Amino acid sequence: MTPLLQVRDISRRYGARIGCSDVSFDLFPGEVMGIVGESGSGKSTLLNCLAGHLAPDTGQVIFDTRADGPVDTVIMSEPARRMLGRTDWAFVHQHARDGLRMGVSAGGNIGERLMAVGARHYGDIRAQASDWLGRVEIAEDRIDDRPTAYSGGMQQRLQIARNLVTDPRLVFMDEPTGGLDVSVQARLLDLLRGLVRQMGLSALIVTHDLAVVRLLADRLMVMKDGHVVEAGLTDQVLDDPQHAYTQLLVSSVLQV
Amino acid sequence: MSAYNFAYLDEQTKRMIRRAILKGLAIPGYQVPFASREMPMPYGWGTGGVQVSAATLTPEDTLKVIDQGADDTTNAVSLRKFFERTAGVPTTEETTKATVIQTRHRIPEVELGEDQILVYQVPIPEPLRFLEPRETETRKMHSLEEYGLMHVKLYEDISQHGAIATSYAYPVKVAGRYVMDPSPIPKFDNPKMEMAAIQLFGAGREQRIYAVPPYTQVVSLDFDDYPFEPTKADHPCDLCGAEDSYLDEVIMDDAGTRMFVCSDADYCRSRRDTGHTVTAIGGTV
């Protein structure tokens, strides 16, 4: 099977400091990969390099496109990469307001990606928007409300709907549950797990919350100081950590 | 008169503006940056249009200035006087006799010809401005032809008002490429933009010039199930009886009496001169 995403030797430095260094891995269709590590370990830098928001200094990010097969997205033309960002890729930000248009209604937020790829039928766009609101458990009569009128958890669910409406194949998530209280987190994780399985999505989830990866991720990468220190199946890494830092990370979780 | 160079601006500045105009004509709808000068009038009074007119005028030209369709309002009178004094060109109120027409917020009702130039005053040239505040991002969106956001605005209109409620500065796509703000003309005027005359747009404060060459395709954006509709008050003109012209609503008293009159003053007058009248001139309630 061709991997959906092949990452080869991605490095990104900020002057003399290392953002992330020599990261390589494969992600297969339908697989969810977790990236954990403490703050400043280079998780977000890596994710932004992969999603095309940051240009990596070296390395390749080869994505298996629908039309042309595997293509290196780092050297791809900008229009093509931005097109990919609107169709086959999705990016869920930690803060919903980074990923949403706060001045536009929920329906408009969901419809934006559809209109960006050429949908020009209002009725169809609206029907899809209300269908997706239902899928992320937001009441359909809230379709004309602005995200500013939504709670934090709803904003995050709206952001997910807005991203998934064009049936992407790869979702990048940067701390999708950050800043939400635990019960809302649990519902969001439940929802995400359902959507990922239903749609057969591949996902890369950056988080510092081990519970999130335990629930969602098939495989896990542990990062420290810009390097990947351990990688493997989620349960294997969490239950039998080999590297000293992973052991510290796992033992730091408070058992209630 | 002799105290000024012809049409106020110095020749180097006019050359610079002409280069921007030519570039704009070569890339229809593309906003060309130019070094806008301080003009002896405040921003918002048409400093962009004035500079484009100044660079376009020749001593043989006849100038007409329109403000919201009228020739006799402050803006039109001031700008007409300005060019009378600094360029010494003849001015007119008749659309058909003018070769250069500077306009604010209207396109004349009479069809313009190939020997005419229409200069628009533009307050905000960027159609995406209120949707995407970052200039770097809007430029990128123009260069990559990413115009989905424009439809988000129209979507919001329909979801809030049940129809596309944008009634002026209605976004258009020029020659199948650039999305352009046609300046705050009523959307009634949008279909007229596919015309024989050259259309030039000047935004002084924002330092942009753009243009639509003659006979260029200009399409108003819409949805398949909510097509673009040019709208006007559903009423004939109370002075000349015209049913095809854009109307102003004039409040007559404090009891709700009002009348509808052509916004294009020259069009209305020329119709009345040729015998079109409404028998009972007066208000309708």
PDB file of all heavy atoms in Angstrom, chain A residues 78-79 82 86 101 104-105 107-108 112 115 120-123 125-126 144, chain B residues 131-132 137 140 144 146 149 151-152 155-156 158-159 223-226:
ATOM      1  N   GLU A  78       2.721  27.205  -5.252  1.00  0.00           N
ATOM      2  CA  GLU A  78       1.881  27.681  -4.153  1.00  0.00           C
ATOM      3  C   GLU A  78       0.379  27.529  -4.427  1.00  0.00           C
ATOM      4  O   GLU A  78      -0.361  27.104  -3.545  1.00  0.00           O
ATOM      5  CB  GLU A  78       2.211  29.129  -3.811  1.00  0.00           C
ATOM      6  CG  GLU A  78       1.569  29.520  -2.497  1.00  0.00           C
ATOM      7  CD  GLU A  78       1.899  30.919  -2.061  1.00  0.00           C
ATOM      8  OE1 GLU A  78       2.495  31.670  -2.845  1.00  0.00           O
ATOM      9  OE2 GLU A  78       1.535  31.264  -0.926  1.00  0.00           O
ATOM     10  N   PRO A  79      -0.100  27.879  -5.643  1.00  0.00           N
ATOM     11  CA  PRO A  79      -1.530  27.671  -5.894  1.00  0.00           C
ATOM     12  C   PRO A  79      -1.950  26.225  -5.682  1.00  0.00           C
ATOM     13  O   PRO A  79      -3.007  25.946  -5.110  1.00  0.00           O
ATOM     14  CB  PRO A  79      -1.707  28.078  -7.359  1.00  0.00           C
ATOM     15  CG  PRO A  79      -0.538  28.895  -7.706  1.00  0.00           C
ATOM     16  CD  PRO A  79       0.573  28.522  -6.793  1.00  0.00           C
ATOM     17  N   ARG A  82      -2.039  25.500  -1.958  1.00  0.00           N
ATOM     18  CA  ARG A  82      -3.201  26.117  -1.304  1.00  0.00           C
ATOM     19  C   ARG A  82      -4.488  25.399  -1.687  1.00  0.00           C
ATOM     20  O   ARG A  82      -5.427  25.286  -0.902  1.00  0.00           O
ATOM     21  CB  ARG A  82      -3.284  27.601  -1.671  1.00  0.00           C
ATOM     22  CG  ARG A  82      -2.303  28.449  -0.881  1.00  0.00           C
ATOM     23  CD  ARG A  82      -2.243  29.854  -1.379  1.00  0.00           C
ATOM     24  NE  ARG A  82      -3.412  30.661  -1.062  1.00  0.00           N
ATOM     25  CZ  ARG A  82      -3.409  31.692  -0.222  1.00  0.00           C
ATOM     26  NH1 ARG A  82      -2.312  32.015   0.411  1.00  0.00           N
ATOM     27  NH2 ARG A  82      -4.493  32.403  -0.006  1.00  0.00           N
ATOM     28  N   ARG A  86      -7.335  23.370   0.699  1.00  0.00           N
ATOM     29  CA  ARG A  86      -8.781  23.579   0.736  1.00  0.00           C
ATOM     30  C   ARG A  86      -9.562  22.318   0.411  1.00  0.00           C
ATOM     31  O   ARG A  86     -10.767  22.282   0.577  1.00  0.00           O
ATOM     32  CB  ARG A  86      -9.179  24.643  -0.303  1.00  0.00           C
ATOM     33  CG  ARG A  86      -8.736  26.021   0.009  1.00  0.00           C
ATOM     34  CD  ARG A  86      -9.546  27.005  -0.821  1.00  0.00           C
ATOM     35  NE  ARG A  86      -9.371  26.813  -2.263  1.00  0.00           N
ATOM     36  CZ  ARG A  86      -8.433  27.438  -2.967  1.00  0.00           C
ATOM     37  NH1 ARG A  86      -7.601  28.230  -2.380  1.00  0.00           N
ATOM     38  NH2 ARG A  86      -8.343  27.229  -4.260  1.00  0.00           N
ATOM     39  N   ARG A 101     -14.007  32.198  10.697  1.00  0.00           N
ATOM     40  CA  ARG A 101     -14.243  33.619  10.442  1.00  0.00           C
ATOM     41  C   ARG A 101     -15.304  34.065  11.433  1.00  0.00           C
ATOM     42  O   ARG A 101     -16.462  33.694  11.329  1.00  0.00           O
ATOM     43  CB  ARG A 101     -14.728  33.847   9.023  1.00  0.00           C
ATOM     44  CG  ARG A 101     -13.635  33.631   8.042  1.00  0.00           C
ATOM     45  CD  ARG A 101     -13.911  34.172   6.679  1.00  0.00           C
ATOM     46  NE  ARG A 101     -12.847  33.703   5.810  1.00  0.00           N
ATOM     47  CZ  ARG A 101     -11.681  34.302   5.675  1.00  0.00           C
ATOM     48  NH1 ARG A 101     -11.445  35.430   6.293  1.00  0.00           N
ATOM     49  NH2 ARG A 101     -10.752  33.799   4.891  1.00  0.00           N
ATOM     50  N   VAL A 104     -18.626  35.857  10.333  1.00  0.00           N
ATOM     51  CA  VAL A 104     -19.472  35.197   9.334  1.00  0.00           C
ATOM     52  C   VAL A 104     -20.265  34.101  10.037  1.00  0.00           C
ATOM     53  O   VAL A 104     -19.759  33.452  10.943  1.00  0.00           O
ATOM     54  CB  VAL A 104     -18.574  34.604   8.217  1.00  0.00           C
ATOM     55  CG1 VAL A 104     -19.355  33.695   7.312  1.00  0.00           C
ATOM     56  CG2 VAL A 104     -17.901  35.715   7.427  1.00  0.00           C
ATOM     57  N   SER A 105     -21.522  33.905   9.631  1.00  0.00           N
ATOM     58  CA  SER A 105     -22.374  32.922  10.303  1.00  0.00           C
ATOM     59  C   SER A 105     -21.800  31.511  10.182  1.00  0.00           C
ATOM     60  O   SER A 105     -20.929  31.244   9.363  1.00  0.00           O
ATOM     61  CB  SER A 105     -23.771  32.947   9.687  1.00  0.00           C
ATOM     62  OG  SER A 105     -23.731  32.392   8.395  1.00  0.00           O
ATOM     63  N   GLY A 107     -23.142  28.859   8.999  1.00  0.00           N
ATOM     64  CA  GLY A 107     -23.372  28.305   7.668  1.00  0.00           C
ATOM     65  C   GLY A 107     -22.349  28.815   6.668  1.00  0.00           C
ATOM     66  O   GLY A 107     -21.828  28.055   5.851  1.00  0.00           O
ATOM     67  N   GLY A 108     -22.041  30.105   6.749  1.00  0.00           N
ATOM     68  CA  GLY A 108     -21.052  30.692   5.851  1.00  0.00           C
ATOM     69  C   GLY A 108     -19.670  30.125   6.107  1.00  0.00           C
ATOM     70  O   GLY A 108     -18.894  29.886   5.182  1.00  0.00           O
ATOM     71  N   GLU A 112     -17.682  28.077   3.216  1.00  0.00           N
ATOM     72  CA  GLU A 112     -16.563  28.776   2.565  1.00  0.00           C
ATOM     73  C   GLU A 112     -15.693  27.849   1.726  1.00  0.00           C
ATOM     74  O   GLU A 112     -15.350  28.152   0.591  1.00  0.00           O
ATOM     75  CB  GLU A 112     -15.687  29.486   3.608  1.00  0.00           C
ATOM     76  CG  GLU A 112     -14.543  30.237   2.940  1.00  0.00           C
ATOM     77  CD  GLU A 112     -13.660  30.990   3.910  1.00  0.00           C
ATOM     78  OE1 GLU A 112     -14.059  31.180   5.070  1.00  0.00           O
ATOM     79  OE2 GLU A 112     -12.561  31.388   3.485  1.00  0.00           O
ATOM     80  N   MET A 115     -17.490  26.925  -1.432  1.00  0.00           N
ATOM     81  CA  MET A 115     -17.504  27.997  -2.419  1.00  0.00           C
ATOM     82  C   MET A 115     -16.109  28.210  -2.993  1.00  0.00           C
ATOM     83  O   MET A 115     -15.956  28.574  -4.150  1.00  0.00           O
ATOM     84  CB  MET A 115     -18.034  29.281  -1.787  1.00  0.00           C
ATOM     85  CG  MET A 115     -19.514  29.162  -1.421  1.00  0.00           C
ATOM     86  SD  MET A 115     -20.185  30.667  -0.713  1.00  0.00           S
ATOM     87  CE  MET A 115     -20.547  30.170   0.952  1.00  0.00           C
ATOM     88  N   ARG A 120     -21.633  26.876  -6.434  1.00  0.00           N
ATOM     89  CA  ARG A 120     -22.307  28.136  -6.722  1.00  0.00           C
ATOM     90  C   ARG A 120     -23.822  28.003  -6.584  1.00  0.00           C
ATOM     91  O   ARG A 120     -24.559  28.770  -7.167  1.00  0.00           O
ATOM     92  CB  ARG A 120     -21.970  28.600  -8.147  1.00  0.00           C
ATOM     93  CG  ARG A 120     -20.528  29.043  -8.332  1.00  0.00           C
ATOM     94  CD  ARG A 120     -20.230  30.325  -7.589  1.00  0.00           C
ATOM     95  NE  ARG A 120     -18.829  30.726  -7.741  1.00  0.00           N
ATOM     96  CZ  ARG A 120     -17.877  30.437  -6.867  1.00  0.00           C
ATOM     97  NH1 ARG A 120     -18.161  29.763  -5.757  1.00  0.00           N
ATOM     98  NH2 ARG A 120     -16.641  30.832  -7.066  1.00  0.00           N
ATOM     99  N   HIS A 121     -24.273  26.984  -5.851  1.00  0.00           N
ATOM    100  CA  HIS A 121     -25.703  26.802  -5.674  1.00  0.00           C
ATOM    101  C   HIS A 121     -26.028  26.982  -4.199  1.00  0.00           C
ATOM    102  O   HIS A 121     -25.660  26.154  -3.372  1.00  0.00           O
ATOM    103  CB  HIS A 121     -26.113  25.417  -6.168  1.00  0.00           C
ATOM    104  CG  HIS A 121     -27.606  25.248  -6.276  1.00  0.00           C
ATOM    105  ND1 HIS A 121     -28.399  25.018  -5.182  1.00  0.00           N
ATOM    106  CD2 HIS A 121     -28.440  25.306  -7.336  1.00  0.00           C
ATOM    107  CE1 HIS A 121     -29.668  24.936  -5.573  1.00  0.00           C
ATOM    108  NE2 HIS A 121     -29.722  25.105  -6.872  1.00  0.00           N
ATOM    109  N   TYR A 122     -26.714  28.077  -3.872  1.00  0.00           N
ATOM    110  CA  TYR A 122     -26.960  28.423  -2.478  1.00  0.00           C
ATOM    111  C   TYR A 122     -27.663  27.291  -1.728  1.00  0.00           C
ATOM    112  O   TYR A 122     -27.269  26.916  -0.622  1.00  0.00           O
ATOM    113  CB  TYR A 122     -27.791  29.704  -2.407  1.00  0.00           C
ATOM    114  CG  TYR A 122     -28.187  30.088  -1.003  1.00  0.00           C
ATOM    115  CD1 TYR A 122     -27.297  30.746  -0.170  1.00  0.00           C
ATOM    116  CD2 TYR A 122     -29.448  29.781  -0.510  1.00  0.00           C
ATOM    117  CE1 TYR A 122     -27.648  31.090   1.120  1.00  0.00           C
ATOM    118  CE2 TYR A 122     -29.818  30.118   0.778  1.00  0.00           C
ATOM    119  CZ  TYR A 122     -28.916  30.772   1.588  1.00  0.00           C
ATOM    120  OH  TYR A 122     -29.269  31.107   2.869  1.00  0.00           O
ATOM    121  N   GLY A 123     -28.704  26.744  -2.347  1.00  0.00           N
ATOM    122  CA  GLY A 123     -29.488  25.698  -1.684  1.00  0.00           C
ATOM    123  C   GLY A 123     -28.621  24.504  -1.313  1.00  0.00           C
ATOM    124  O   GLY A 123     -28.704  23.978  -0.198  1.00  0.00           O
ATOM    125  N   ILE A 125     -25.328  24.431  -0.927  1.00  0.00           N
ATOM    126  CA  ILE A 125     -24.336  24.805   0.077  1.00  0.00           C
ATOM    127  C   ILE A 125     -24.970  24.802   1.456  1.00  0.00           C
ATOM    128  O   ILE A 125     -24.441  24.266   2.426  1.00  0.00           O
ATOM    129  CB  ILE A 125     -23.747  26.197  -0.247  1.00  0.00           C
ATOM    130  CG1 ILE A 125     -22.956  26.136  -1.542  1.00  0.00           C
ATOM    131  CG2 ILE A 125     -22.872  26.703   0.894  1.00  0.00           C
ATOM    132  CD1 ILE A 125     -22.608  27.484  -2.115  1.00  0.00           C
ATOM    133  N   ARG A 126     -26.177  25.369   1.515  1.00  0.00           N
ATOM    134  CA  ARG A 126     -26.856  25.463   2.799  1.00  0.00           C
ATOM    135  C   ARG A 126     -27.245  24.081   3.320  1.00  0.00           C
ATOM    136  O   ARG A 126     -27.127  23.793   4.506  1.00  0.00           O
ATOM    137  CB  ARG A 126     -28.096  26.339   2.650  1.00  0.00           C
ATOM    138  CG  ARG A 126     -28.643  26.763   3.981  1.00  0.00           C
ATOM    139  CD  ARG A 126     -29.499  27.998   3.825  1.00  0.00           C
ATOM    140  NE  ARG A 126     -30.179  28.293   5.066  1.00  0.00           N
ATOM    141  CZ  ARG A 126     -29.672  29.087   6.002  1.00  0.00           C
ATOM    142  NH1 ARG A 126     -28.503  29.626   5.819  1.00  0.00           N
ATOM    143  NH2 ARG A 126     -30.346  29.326   7.108  1.00  0.00           N
ATOM    144  N   ASP A 144     -27.508  30.258  11.386  1.00  0.00           N
ATOM    145  CA  ASP A 144     -27.277  31.653  11.026  1.00  0.00           C
ATOM    146  C   ASP A 144     -26.648  32.473  12.146  1.00  0.00           C
ATOM    147  O   ASP A 144     -26.496  33.684  12.025  1.00  0.00           O
ATOM    148  CB  ASP A 144     -28.593  32.314  10.573  1.00  0.00           C
ATOM    149  CG  ASP A 144     -29.051  31.742   9.249  1.00  0.00           C
ATOM    150  OD1 ASP A 144     -28.177  31.325   8.465  1.00  0.00           O
ATOM    151  OD2 ASP A 144     -30.265  31.686   9.000  1.00  0.00           O
TER     152      ASP A 144
ATOM    153  N   LEU B 131     -13.855  41.463   4.105  1.00  0.00           N
ATOM    154  CA  LEU B 131     -13.881  40.041   4.392  1.00  0.00           C
ATOM    155  C   LEU B 131     -12.523  39.587   4.896  1.00  0.00           C
ATOM    156  O   LEU B 131     -12.417  38.712   5.742  1.00  0.00           O
ATOM    157  CB  LEU B 131     -14.234  39.266   3.128  1.00  0.00           C
ATOM    158  CG  LEU B 131     -15.566  39.677   2.505  1.00  0.00           C
ATOM    159  CD1 LEU B 131     -15.616  39.314   1.050  1.00  0.00           C
ATOM    160  CD2 LEU B 131     -16.686  39.013   3.265  1.00  0.00           C
ATOM    161  N   GLU B 132     -11.471  40.155   4.341  1.00  0.00           N
ATOM    162  CA  GLU B 132     -10.120  39.767   4.708  1.00  0.00           C
ATOM    163  C   GLU B 132      -9.326  41.053   4.948  1.00  0.00           C
ATOM    164  O   GLU B 132      -8.994  41.761   4.010  1.00  0.00           O
ATOM    165  CB  GLU B 132      -9.508  38.941   3.565  1.00  0.00           C
ATOM    166  CG  GLU B 132      -8.063  38.596   3.768  1.00  0.00           C
ATOM    167  CD  GLU B 132      -7.797  37.887   5.069  1.00  0.00           C
ATOM    168  OE1 GLU B 132      -8.307  36.782   5.261  1.00  0.00           O
ATOM    169  OE2 GLU B 132      -7.096  38.464   5.922  1.00  0.00           O
ATOM    170  N   GLU B 137      -2.707  39.272   2.265  1.00  0.00           N
ATOM    171  CA  GLU B 137      -3.533  38.109   1.958  1.00  0.00           C
ATOM    172  C   GLU B 137      -4.454  38.393   0.763  1.00  0.00           C
ATOM    173  O   GLU B 137      -4.603  37.549  -0.120  1.00  0.00           O
ATOM    174  CB  GLU B 137      -4.353  37.723   3.199  1.00  0.00           C
ATOM    175  CG  GLU B 137      -5.138  36.427   3.079  1.00  0.00           C
ATOM    176  CD  GLU B 137      -4.265  35.188   2.923  1.00  0.00           C
ATOM    177  OE1 GLU B 137      -3.057  35.262   3.238  1.00  0.00           O
ATOM    178  OE2 GLU B 137      -4.790  34.163   2.462  1.00  0.00           O
ATOM    179  N   LYS B 140      -2.568  38.153  -2.394  1.00  0.00           N
ATOM    180  CA  LYS B 140      -2.310  36.756  -2.743  1.00  0.00           C
ATOM    181  C   LYS B 140      -3.575  36.111  -3.312  1.00  0.00           C
ATOM    182  O   LYS B 140      -3.525  35.366  -4.274  1.00  0.00           O
ATOM    183  CB  LYS B 140      -1.845  36.003  -1.491  1.00  0.00           C
ATOM    184  CG  LYS B 140      -1.341  34.628  -1.786  1.00  0.00           C
ATOM    185  CD  LYS B 140      -0.518  34.084  -0.631  1.00  0.00           C
ATOM    186  CE  LYS B 140       0.921  34.540  -0.717  1.00  0.00           C
ATOM    187  NZ  LYS B 140       1.740  34.057   0.401  1.00  0.00           N
ATOM    188  N   LEU B 144      -3.749  34.461  -6.971  1.00  0.00           N
ATOM    189  CA  LEU B 144      -4.025  33.036  -7.142  1.00  0.00           C
ATOM    190  C   LEU B 144      -5.481  32.780  -7.545  1.00  0.00           C
ATOM    191  O   LEU B 144      -5.925  31.654  -7.613  1.00  0.00           O
ATOM    192  CB  LEU B 144      -3.702  32.265  -5.859  1.00  0.00           C
ATOM    193  CG  LEU B 144      -2.263  32.378  -5.377  1.00  0.00           C
ATOM    194  CD1 LEU B 144      -2.069  31.589  -4.105  1.00  0.00           C
ATOM    195  CD2 LEU B 144      -1.314  31.881  -6.454  1.00  0.00           C
ATOM    196  N   GLU B 146      -8.236  33.226  -5.901  1.00  0.00           N
ATOM    197  CA  GLU B 146      -9.027  32.550  -4.873  1.00  0.00           C
ATOM    198  C   GLU B 146     -10.162  33.469  -4.450  1.00  0.00           C
ATOM    199  O   GLU B 146     -10.003  34.299  -3.562  1.00  0.00           O
ATOM    200  CB  GLU B 146      -8.136  32.230  -3.667  1.00  0.00           C
ATOM    201  CG  GLU B 146      -7.158  31.124  -3.951  1.00  0.00           C
ATOM    202  CD  GLU B 146      -6.277  30.811  -2.758  1.00  0.00           C
ATOM    203  OE1 GLU B 146      -6.449  31.414  -1.696  1.00  0.00           O
ATOM    204  OE2 GLU B 146      -5.411  29.944  -2.910  1.00  0.00           O
ATOM    205  N   LEU B 149     -14.222  33.556  -1.112  1.00  0.00           N
ATOM    206  CA  LEU B 149     -14.646  34.416  -0.009  1.00  0.00           C
ATOM    207  C   LEU B 149     -15.710  35.431  -0.456  1.00  0.00           C
ATOM    208  O   LEU B 149     -16.589  35.806   0.310  1.00  0.00           O
ATOM    209  CB  LEU B 149     -13.418  35.134   0.535  1.00  0.00           C
ATOM    210  CG  LEU B 149     -13.516  35.694   1.936  1.00  0.00           C
ATOM    211  CD1 LEU B 149     -14.003  34.630   2.887  1.00  0.00           C
ATOM    212  CD2 LEU B 149     -12.166  36.203   2.375  1.00  0.00           C
ATOM    213  N   HIS B 151     -18.065  34.958  -2.457  1.00  0.00           N
ATOM    214  CA  HIS B 151     -19.371  34.312  -2.409  1.00  0.00           C
ATOM    215  C   HIS B 151     -19.844  34.109  -0.976  1.00  0.00           C
ATOM    216  O   HIS B 151     -21.042  34.010  -0.740  1.00  0.00           O
ATOM    217  CB  HIS B 151     -19.339  32.990  -3.169  1.00  0.00           C
ATOM    218  CG  HIS B 151     -19.589  33.163  -4.638  1.00  0.00           C
ATOM    219  ND1 HIS B 151     -18.594  33.449  -5.518  1.00  0.00           N
ATOM    220  CD2 HIS B 151     -20.736  33.141  -5.351  1.00  0.00           C
ATOM    221  CE1 HIS B 151     -19.116  33.577  -6.730  1.00  0.00           C
ATOM    222  NE2 HIS B 151     -20.408  33.408  -6.658  1.00  0.00           N
ATOM    223  N   VAL B 152     -18.902  34.024  -0.029  1.00  0.00           N
ATOM    224  CA  VAL B 152     -19.312  33.912   1.372  1.00  0.00           C
ATOM    225  C   VAL B 152     -20.110  35.151   1.760  1.00  0.00           C
ATOM    226  O   VAL B 152     -21.128  35.076   2.455  1.00  0.00           O
ATOM    227  CB  VAL B 152     -18.083  33.741   2.294  1.00  0.00           C
ATOM    228  CG1 VAL B 152     -18.496  33.806   3.752  1.00  0.00           C
ATOM    229  CG2 VAL B 152     -17.390  32.429   2.000  1.00  0.00           C
ATOM    230  N   TYR B 155     -23.466  34.729   0.290  1.00  0.00           N
ATOM    231  CA  TYR B 155     -24.169  33.710   1.072  1.00  0.00           C
ATOM    232  C   TYR B 155     -24.757  34.343   2.335  1.00  0.00           C
ATOM    233  O   TYR B 155     -25.909  34.107   2.689  1.00  0.00           O
ATOM    234  CB  TYR B 155     -23.202  32.577   1.448  1.00  0.00           C
ATOM    235  CG  TYR B 155     -23.788  31.603   2.438  1.00  0.00           C
ATOM    236  CD1 TYR B 155     -24.410  30.440   2.015  1.00  0.00           C
ATOM    237  CD2 TYR B 155     -23.766  31.877   3.814  1.00  0.00           C
ATOM    238  CE1 TYR B 155     -24.989  29.574   2.920  1.00  0.00           C
ATOM    239  CE2 TYR B 155     -24.336  31.026   4.728  1.00  0.00           C
ATOM    240  CZ  TYR B 155     -24.944  29.877   4.283  1.00  0.00           C
ATOM    241  OH  TYR B 155     -25.528  29.027   5.184  1.00  0.00           O
ATOM    242  N   GLU B 156     -23.933  35.159   3.012  1.00  0.00           N
ATOM    243  CA  GLU B 156     -24.390  35.795   4.249  1.00  0.00           C
ATOM    244  C   GLU B 156     -25.598  36.688   3.973  1.00  0.00           C
ATOM    245  O   GLU B 156     -26.541  36.740   4.767  1.00  0.00           O
ATOM    246  CB  GLU B 156     -23.265  36.632   4.852  1.00  0.00           C
ATOM    247  CG  GLU B 156     -22.157  35.802   5.443  1.00  0.00           C
ATOM    248  CD  GLU B 156     -22.572  35.112   6.722  1.00  0.00           C
ATOM    249  OE1 GLU B 156     -22.692  35.767   7.760  1.00  0.00           O
ATOM    250  OE2 GLU B 156     -22.809  33.886   6.671  1.00  0.00           O
ATOM    251  N   ILE B 158     -27.889  36.301   1.648  1.00  0.00           N
ATOM    252  CA  ILE B 158     -29.095  35.498   1.431  1.00  0.00           C
ATOM    253  C   ILE B 158     -29.567  34.898   2.745  1.00  0.00           C
ATOM    254  O   ILE B 158     -30.753  34.909   3.063  1.00  0.00           O
ATOM    255  CB  ILE B 158     -28.840  34.389   0.390  1.00  0.00           C
ATOM    256  CG1 ILE B 158     -28.398  34.994  -0.932  1.00  0.00           C
ATOM    257  CG2 ILE B 158     -30.092  33.567   0.186  1.00  0.00           C
ATOM    258  CD1 ILE B 158     -27.974  33.982  -1.960  1.00  0.00           C
ATOM    259  N   SER B 159     -28.603  34.418   3.567  1.00  0.00           N
ATOM    260  CA  SER B 159     -29.037  33.758   4.796  1.00  0.00           C
ATOM    261  C   SER B 159     -29.655  34.765   5.764  1.00  0.00           C
ATOM    262  O   SER B 159     -30.522  34.417   6.549  1.00  0.00           O
ATOM    263  CB  SER B 159     -27.868  33.020   5.449  1.00  0.00           C
ATOM    264  OG  SER B 159     -26.956  33.923   6.007  1.00  0.00           O
ATOM    265  N   PHE B 223     -25.311  33.394  -7.331  1.00  0.00           N
ATOM    266  CA  PHE B 223     -25.469  31.959  -7.162  1.00  0.00           C
ATOM    267  C   PHE B 223     -26.397  31.427  -8.260  1.00  0.00           C
ATOM    268  O   PHE B 223     -27.227  32.174  -8.785  1.00  0.00           O
ATOM    269  CB  PHE B 223     -26.101  31.647  -5.807  1.00  0.00           C
ATOM    270  CG  PHE B 223     -25.148  31.774  -4.663  1.00  0.00           C
ATOM    271  CD1 PHE B 223     -25.183  32.882  -3.832  1.00  0.00           C
ATOM    272  CD2 PHE B 223     -24.205  30.791  -4.406  1.00  0.00           C
ATOM    273  CE1 PHE B 223     -24.301  32.999  -2.770  1.00  0.00           C
ATOM    274  CE2 PHE B 223     -23.318  30.908  -3.347  1.00  0.00           C
ATOM    275  CZ  PHE B 223     -23.367  32.001  -2.531  1.00  0.00           C
ATOM    276  N   ASP B 224     -26.270  30.145  -8.573  1.00  0.00           N
ATOM    277  CA  ASP B 224     -27.125  29.556  -9.613  1.00  0.00           C
ATOM    278  C   ASP B 224     -28.598  29.737  -9.272  1.00  0.00           C
ATOM    279  O   ASP B 224     -29.414  30.011 -10.146  1.00  0.00           O
ATOM    280  CB  ASP B 224     -26.823  28.059  -9.749  1.00  0.00           C
ATOM    281  CG  ASP B 224     -25.397  27.829 -10.238  1.00  0.00           C
ATOM    282  OD1 ASP B 224     -24.808  28.798 -10.758  1.00  0.00           O
ATOM    283  OD2 ASP B 224     -24.887  26.709 -10.084  1.00  0.00           O
ATOM    284  N   ASP B 225     -28.936  29.546  -7.981  1.00  0.00           N
ATOM    285  CA  ASP B 225     -30.352  29.625  -7.614  1.00  0.00           C
ATOM    286  C   ASP B 225     -30.739  31.013  -7.107  1.00  0.00           C
ATOM    287  O   ASP B 225     -31.902  31.251  -6.786  1.00  0.00           O
ATOM    288  CB  ASP B 225     -30.714  28.548  -6.583  1.00  0.00           C
ATOM    289  CG  ASP B 225     -29.682  28.448  -5.465  1.00  0.00           C
ATOM    290  OD1 ASP B 225     -28.600  29.039  -5.599  1.00  0.00           O
ATOM    291  OD2 ASP B 225     -29.965  27.788  -4.458  1.00  0.00           O
ATOM    292  N   TYR B 226     -29.778  31.930  -7.006  1.00  0.00           N
ATOM    293  CA  TYR B 226     -30.086  33.329  -6.688  1.00  0.00           C
ATOM    294  C   TYR B 226     -29.353  34.218  -7.684  1.00  0.00           C
ATOM    295  O   TYR B 226     -28.328  34.808  -7.364  1.00  0.00           O
ATOM    296  CB  TYR B 226     -29.666  33.682  -5.249  1.00  0.00           C
ATOM    297  CG  TYR B 226     -30.599  33.132  -4.202  1.00  0.00           C
ATOM    298  CD1 TYR B 226     -30.443  31.832  -3.727  1.00  0.00           C
ATOM    299  CD2 TYR B 226     -31.648  33.903  -3.697  1.00  0.00           C
ATOM    300  CE1 TYR B 226     -31.306  31.311  -2.781  1.00  0.00           C
ATOM    301  CE2 TYR B 226     -32.506  33.400  -2.747  1.00  0.00           C
ATOM    302  CZ  TYR B 226     -32.330  32.092  -2.295  1.00  0.00           C
ATOM    303  OH  TYR B 226     -33.193  31.579  -1.353  1.00  0.00           O
TER     304      TYR B 226
END
